Amino acid sequence: MASLLLDRAFAHFVTLGRLDVHYPGGDRRAYVGGPGPRAGMWIADGETVRALLLDPALKVGEAYMAGRLRPVDCTLYDLMHVLMLNVMRRSPAGEQIFGSLRYIARTWLQNNTLRRARRNVAHHYDLDSRLYRLFLDADMQYSCGYFPTGTETLAQAQAAKKHHLAAKLHLSRPGMTVLDVGCGWGGMALTLARDYDAQVTGITLSVEQLHIARQRARAAGLDGRVRFELLDYRAVSRQYDRIISIGMFEHVGVAHYPAFFDTMRAALHPHGVMVLHSIGRREGPGVTNPWIDRYIFPGGYSPAVSEAVSAVERAGLWLTDCEIWRLHYARTIAHWRRRFAARRRQVALLYDERFCRMFEFYLVVSELAFRVQGHLNFQLQMVREIDAVPLSRDYMYAPQPVGLPDQDSVAALRA
C-alpha cells in the first residue's frame, strides 16, 4: 500500500526530467516529465517508503545516510538534481504540511540564546580540524569564494573574496581597528592585519577554531596585531573603526536580528563601516531544510535579503551598498565536493562511513540549493553617518593593501 501511494506521489511530483525508482520487492517505475536531467533511485524497504511519504525533506537524507536509499546508474548529485529541481515546481504533500508547521515554529527553532548558540556552533565547527583541511583551501576559508572571471582556482577565488570584502571596508589609513565577527580559523583577520596594516580582533564561539586561529597568528608573527577571543557577539563592549562578518549571520536567528544589529551599531565607531557577508534566499522568508537543521547547522537560517535589510533599517544604520552573488557559492562548493571525494578514505578514517555519506549529502544539496533553488550570497555595507564612505563605489575596485601582500595570497593569485 505504501509503495502504491509513493508511486502516485512521484507520478504527480516529477514534472521535469526522468526518475527511475526501484521499489522494495523488485518493482521498477519510471516517472517522466518535461526535458530535464535523469536519475535512478533504489529504496530498501517499506519503512523507508513510508518515511519518504511522510516527510521527504528530512527522510531522503536520513535514508541515504543509513544506506537505505541509493542512486542507481547515476551519482548522488544526479539524483538530488532531479529531486530538488522538481521540488521547486511542485512540493510533495508531506513537505507542504511539514514546511508550514516549520515556518510557524521557526522563531523557536532559531532561538539561538547564548547557551544554544555555543552548542550549535560546536556541533559543526568543533569537528576535527583535519576534516576541514582535507577539502578547504590552505587558508581554511569556509565561505563563498569570488569568481570574477569564472576560471579561478579555489585558492584564487578565496583570496579574491577576502580582498573584495576588505575593499568594501574602506581601510583608509594604517592601524584601523577591525572586529571580525565569526572569525572562523582566522584567515580574514590575518589578511587584514598583514595586507592592510589593521589591528584586528576576531571573535568565535568555536573552541577548535579559536585554538587554530591563535596558532596561525603566532606562526605568522602577527599575534601583536591580531587577537582572537571566545566571545559571543552580544558580549562585544568596545567600539571599532570597522566591523566585518563573513558567514556568521546565518547562525543568528530571525528573532535575534534586532539584538545583532543594535549590538553592531553600538560597536561601530560613529564614522565607521561594517560589511556583512551572508547566504540568502531569493524567494523571500522561508525555513531551513530540516535535514540541514538536524545534522549540519542546528539553529541556522539563511535569510531573505529583505529580512536582513529591514533589520538594518530598524537599527538606524545607513545601508550604503548591497551586492548579490549568484552561483559563486555553487562553484565554491563544487571545488569542496571534488576535494572531499578525492580524500574520502581519509575522512572515513577520522569518522566512519555514515559520516562520509552525511557530508557528501550536505555538500551535494548545498551546491544544488545555489544552482536550482534560489540561494545566493549578499553583502551589505552599513554605516552610522551619511558621509562615512565616498559618494561613488570606485574605491571598492581600486588596489587596496597598504602593506605587502602575504605570501599565501600572492601564490594563490599567481597559481
Side-chain angles (χ1 to χ4, degrees):
M1 182 62 178
S3 292
L4 178 61
L5 291 175
L6 188 59
D7 172 57
R8 291 176 179 173
F10 275 131
H12 179 74
F13 170 70
V14 177
T15 60
L16 288 175
R18 172 172 173 155
L19 180 65
D20 295 313
V21 178
H22 298 247
Y23 285 95
D27 287 347
R28 175 178 172 179
R29 300 293 178 87
Y31 308 95
V32 182
R38 176 174 179 169
M41 179 173 67
W42 170 82
I43 303 173
D45 50 39
E47 181 182 346
T48 304
V49 170
R50 290 187 290 273
L52 296 179
L53 274 170
L54 181 64
D55 191 4
L58 175 62
K59 298 303 181 178
V60 169
E62 289 189 337
Y64 179 74
M65 289 166 59
R68 296 162 70 174
L69 182 152
R70 293 200 304 262
V72 176
D73 298 327
C74 67
T75 66
L76 177 63
Y77 184 95
D78 297 330
L79 173 58
M80 295 311 300
H81 190 191
V82 172
L83 295 178
M84 293 174 70
L85 199 61
N86 279 281
V87 163
M88 294 301 291
R89 296 280 292 262
R90 184 178 295 167
S91 295
E95 186 165 332
Q96 292 177 24
I97 295 169
F98 277 93
S100 297
L101 294 174
R102 287 171 183 130
Y103 189 84
I104 294 171
R106 72 178 193 148
T107 299
W108 177 81
L109 292 170
Q110 300 170 31
N111 185 23
N112 296 319
T113 62
L114 177 57
R115 183 175 180 180
R116 287 185 69 176
R118 285 177 175 168
R119 184 175 68 243
N120 292 343
V121 164
H123 177 89
H124 191 77
Y125 296 101
D126 281 347
L127 295 174
D128 193 318
S129 63
R130 291 174 293 178
L131 165 69
Y132 294 105
R133 293 185 190 277
L134 289 174
F135 71 91
L136 298 180
D137 65 303
D139 194 45
M140 298 186 75
Q141 289 293 306
Y142 198 23
S143 59
C144 179
Y146 184 37
F147 295 83
T149 71
T151 61
E152 289 79 9
T153 65
L154 179 61
Q156 288 172 328
Q158 294 294 8
K161 180 266 302 291
K162 290 188 295 179
H163 292 296
H164 187 63
L165 288 168
K168 291 186 177 188
L169 285 174
H170 190 47
L171 293 159
S172 53
R173 56 179 171 78
M176 299 190 87
T177 57
V178 181
L179 175 66
D180 184 356
V181 183
C183 61
W185 291 279
M188 186 65 188
L190 296 174
T191 295
L192 292 174
R194 179 185 288 128
D195 295 5
Y196 298 85
D197 199 16
Q199 294 285 332
V200 189
T201 299
I203 62 173
T204 179
L205 290 180
S206 167
V207 174
E208 185 75 11
Q209 288 184 334
L210 177 71
H211 176 67
I212 291 174
R214 286 175 171 174
Q215 279 187 333
R216 294 182 68 190
R218 287 193 295 270
L222 292 171
D223 46 344
R225 291 159 61 187
V226 182
R227 62 190 179 96
F228 296 102
E229 299 179 10
L230 194 68
L231 191 71
D232 185 86
Y233 70 87
R234 287 161 283 210
V236 174
S237 59
R238 55 163 292 192
Q239 286 193 331
Y240 297 84
D241 298 315
R242 302 291 186 262
I243 300 175
I244 189 159
S245 182
I246 305 172
M248 175 271 178
F249 190 60
E250 301 90 324
H251 302 284
V252 171
V254 173
H256 297 276
Y257 289 172
F260 177 82
F261 285 111
D262 286 347
T263 302
M264 293 301 101
R265 188 184 190 282
L268 188 63
H269 187 276
H271 213 65
V273 179
M274 176 178 178
V275 176
L276 175 75
H277 171 106
S278 174
I279 298 172
R281 57 184 68 229
R282 175 184 62 86
E283 69 276 11
V287 295
T288 300
N289 172 275
W291 185 88
I292 292 289
D293 181 70
R294 178 172 295 184
Y295 293 99
I296 306 299
F297 296 119
Y301 173 65
S302 300
V305 179
S306 58
E307 292 177 292
V309 170
S310 63
V312 170
E313 294 170 347
R314 289 194 298 271
L317 290 163
W318 277 91
L319 180 63
T320 46
D321 192 78
C322 175
E323 183 175 3
I324 304 297
W325 284 3
R326 299 159 292 108
L327 294 174
H328 290 265
Y329 218 159
R331 289 178 179 272
T332 304
I333 299 170
H335 279 285
W336 293 346
R337 190 164 56 85
R338 288 192 291 268
R339 292 162 70 93
F340 184 90
R343 298 164 176 83
R344 192 181 191 281
R345 182 173 296 181
Q346 294 167 261
V347 177
L349 291 174
L350 288 174
Y351 290 97
D352 56 23
E353 178 60 26
R354 182 179 181 276
F355 181 93
C356 287
R357 288 196 294 265
M358 180 191 75
F359 226 83
E360 287 169 342
F361 192 83
Y362 153 56
L363 293 174
V364 163
V365 299
S366 296
E367 180 181 341
L368 284 166
F370 287 90
R371 293 199 184 276
V372 303
Q373 291 197 322
H375 274 50
L376 51 86
N377 284 89
F378 63 86
Q379 295 174 354
L380 305 181
Q381 183 195 62
M382 295 155 274
V383 299
R384 290 177 58 175
E385 301 293 341
I386 192 171
D387 59 348
V389 291
L391 294 178
S392 79
R393 304 176 78 251
D394 295 349
Y395 67 94
M396 296 184 186
Y397 298 95
Q400 288 292 316
V402 295
L404 295 175
D406 64 90
Q407 294 180 358
D408 289 343
S409 298
V410 171
L413 291 169
R414 289 178 177 173

